[in-house]
Amino acid sequence: MTPRVSLQYSQWWIMKKPRAAVGNGTRRRKQASSQEGRGKRALSSSQAKSSVPDACAGTIPEFPEVPAGLARQQEEVVLQASVSPYHLFRDTAEVTVFRESLLSWYDREKRDLPWRRLAESEVDPDKRAYDVWVSEVMLQQTQVATVISYYTRWMQKWPTLHDLASASLEEVNQLWAGLGYYSRGRRLQAGARKVVEELGGHMPRTAETLQRLLPGVGRYTAGAIASIAFGQATGVVDGNVVRVLCRVRAIGADPSSTLVSQQLWSLAQQLVDPARPGDFNQAAMELGAMVCTPQRPLCSQCPVQSLCRAYQRVEREQLSASRSLPGTCDIEECAPNTGQCQLCSPPTEPWDQMLGVANFPRKANRRPPREECRATCILEQPRAFGGARILLVQRPNSGLLAGLWEFPSVTAEPAGQHQRKALLQELQSWVGPLPATRLQHLGQVVHTFSHIKLTYQVYSLALEERTPATIVPPGARWLTREEFHTAAVSTAMKKVFRVFESQQPGTCKASKRSRMSTLSRRKKPSPGQQVLDNFLRPHIPADAPSLNSAAQ
């Protein structure tokens, strides 16, 4: 149970607390003509998988009998009382060295990214905030290399908030198709409409108002926009920053816990450079993405190596292993009296010599995704007027892949005998009676979403009638193959369609198989060569699946 603290102790601690750790939360940078704080940050694949950024908002427990502001102060006292100074920055000199070293490295090594160029050159603060906002939303859970092309197309199509606000949701889904986590695009457009229709076209200027007024904007995104676009001295914590701070201060406790998460935000706020907050936040994230990586970090290239307690621990362990130094325990430096520091690694997770600094941060215990199976069918009209067409139906407006288009599908057991029957009934609900004998199984596709491992059993069925392609039931579309590739469909459906295309006559794979069989007929090897070929030919089990596409 969290201990309560007295008001007198709270006031004493606030007075004694280093100025940098207290004042930054309320400082605001003047917005006159400064060009500082502009630019953009980048995420790595490790960020694509972190849950810290926007999930941290509202996690500070408040005492009901005191005002919220005082409750936050008391919570900070509890945090400080339950951790050792070993995990903190104890003087301003350390903070100054950290800022200067990190920003100097960033100025030399930062990547040239399209959102950074836009933000650095944009004069209009609302347009600059929009440029940053779009990139921040796209970069959540997604790698930089993937985002670049999407961001470029997006800004070409909707260069301003007003352009995005006037777009249709169908257009947004279409451009977002393949980027994943589709609710991000919907919330981005909803936010743009709110800014245009309710806020006079002006973006909120602080992290607090951004988070409060804009849908889908959490604590991290709000802080990133406020610091980069408006120069507010507010720290940010994403997956990369978690990793950097946990290593620099040897924080081995679970970073997703309330106490550790709040301590990381406190450290980020203490460290952020008030003169260049946007650049500093991007530099911290860039360091995690490029140098302080999850595996095989490049410690020799780290600009803050001298301040890194994880690196110091590695050196100490190496000396101890070589018997040059008597064995020491890191916890003794951290909490010599009690051994109960809330930021240290638990005793059940001893130091792994092979991991080095990658012992930090502690790996989260994540549940494996649940497994589901669906049967889906590419229903084609090969003889439709105007060219061959395939049927797509729209998903519900809420839930997984909301509003996107897909092939008719049904939930099915992995090896259920009624799979074909259920799928045929679903198809008939869209187009009327169909012959069951034409339903052909093509293979399977496995696609992993954030929390679901979904296996699609892929079928096809061709309609022989020359039905006009313009006749469609509500919620369905007949599209050409070319139109399918530009429609608002998920990556999973594109994988399913590739299975279908691979089975069609005239495709590259089919043509390659045909050429190989022709060559084998033309060239008849000698009897001795036939025996050698049979001996070297790999054995393929008869029950091997026709396709098992791994999820990306």
Side-chain angles (χ1 to χ4, degrees), residues 484-527:
F484 168 83
H485 290 294
T486 58
V489 297
S490 67
T491 300
M493 287 299 104
K494 292 180 179 179
K495 291 181 180 180
V496 168
F497 192 65
R498 286 199 290 270
V499 176
F500 171 73
E501 286 189 311
S502 69
Q503 304 291 326
Q504 302 303 300
T507 62
C508 294
K509 291 184 179 180
S511 299
K512 183 177 180 180
R513 287 196 297 267
S514 177
R515 290 196 300 271
M516 292 298 292
S517 61
T518 301
L519 287 173
S520 65
R521 287 196 303 269
R522 289 178 181 174
K523 184 178 179 181
K524 294 182 182 281
S526 64

Side-chain angles (χ1 to χ4, degrees), residues 51 79 128 131 147 195 201 238 319 322 340 380 425 470 482 499 519:
S51 61
L79 286 174
R128 184 168 64 246
D131 297 340
V147 168
V195 171
D238 73 340
L319 287 172
S322 65
Q340 296 177 353
E380 184 182 28
Q425 290 176 347
T470 55
E482 291 73 20
V499 176
L519 287 173

Side-chain angles (χ1 to χ4, degrees), residues 388-453:
R389 297 288 194 275
I390 53 178
L391 181 69
L392 291 180
V393 298
Q394 193 169 29
R395 291 186 58 82
N397 291 326
S398 61
L400 182 68
L401 306 175
L404 296 185
W405 294 84
E406 66 177 5
F407 301 114
S409 305
V410 294
T411 302
E413 294 297 326
Q417 297 179 353
H418 304 291
Q419 191 177 96
R420 297 172 67 94
K421 181 178 179 181
L423 183 57
L424 190 64
Q425 290 176 347
E426 173 69 12
L427 295 171
Q428 290 173 341
S429 69
W430 292 105
V431 297
L434 291 170
T437 55
R438 295 182 186 172
L439 194 61
Q440 298 181 0
H441 185 256
L442 304 181
Q444 71 177 27
V445 164
V446 179
H447 187 84
T448 302
F449 298 92
S450 59
H451 58 294
I452 302 173
K453 181 180 180 181

Side-chain angles (χ1 to χ4, degrees), residues 225-399:
I225 297 172
S227 62
I228 297 171
F230 300 122
Q232 182 186 0
T234 182
V236 299
V237 175
D238 73 340
N240 281 332
V241 176
V242 166
R243 189 164 56 257
V244 169
L245 292 180
C246 283
R247 289 174 179 173
V248 168
R249 296 292 92 176
I251 297 175
D254 183 1
S256 65
S257 69
T258 300
L259 185 143
V260 178
S261 174
Q262 220 26 59
Q263 187 63 58
L264 293 173
W265 279 95
S266 177
L267 284 172
Q269 185 61 46
Q270 178 187 9
L271 291 172
V272 65
D273 191 321
R276 299 177 60 187
D279 285 344
F280 179 89
N281 287 335
Q282 292 179 93
M285 291 182 279
E286 190 88 331
L287 182 66
M290 304 301 295
V291 174
C292 196
T293 54
Q295 288 87 32
R296 299 184 180 86
L298 306 175
C299 293
S300 62
Q301 301 178 22
C302 180
V304 294
Q305 182 196 89
S306 62
L307 298 171
C308 181
R309 298 212 183 282
Y311 187 76
Q312 294 165 8
R313 173 72 182 269
V314 170
E315 291 185 319
R316 187 160 55 252
E317 292 290 338
Q318 290 175 345
L319 287 172
S320 178
S322 65
R323 302 183 185 276
S324 299
L325 185 71
T328 59
C329 181
D330 203 55
I331 195 70
E332 293 178 357
E333 287 191 24
C334 174
N337 296 326
T338 65
Q340 296 177 353
C341 174
Q342 298 298 305
L343 296 185
C344 282
S345 301
T348 55
E349 295 189 15
W351 177 266
D352 188 336
Q353 190 74 27
M354 299 299 295
L355 290 177
V357 299
N359 278 279
F360 305 98
R362 180 181 172 188
K363 303 298 185 295
N365 295 323
R366 296 180 180 176
R367 294 182 179 180
R370 71 175 186 268
E371 296 191 10
E372 294 185 3
C373 182
R374 293 184 67 81
T376 187
C377 180
I378 295 91
L379 183 63
E380 184 182 28
Q381 293 186 63
R383 301 176 61 196
F385 294 110
R389 297 288 194 275
I390 53 178
L391 181 69
L392 291 180
V393 298
Q394 193 169 29
R395 291 186 58 82
N397 291 326
S398 61

Side-chain angles (χ1 to χ4, degrees), residues 12-25 27 76 80 88-93 95 266 269-270:
W12 172 86
W13 183 85
I14 294 295
M15 292 175 63
K16 293 294 183 181
K17 187 178 179 183
R19 184 185 185 97
V22 178
N24 286 353
R27 284 201 295 266
E76 290 187 35
Q80 296 293 331
L88 309 177
F89 286 89
R90 287 171 284 189
D91 57 61
T92 56
V95 173
S266 177
Q269 185 61 46
Q270 178 187 9

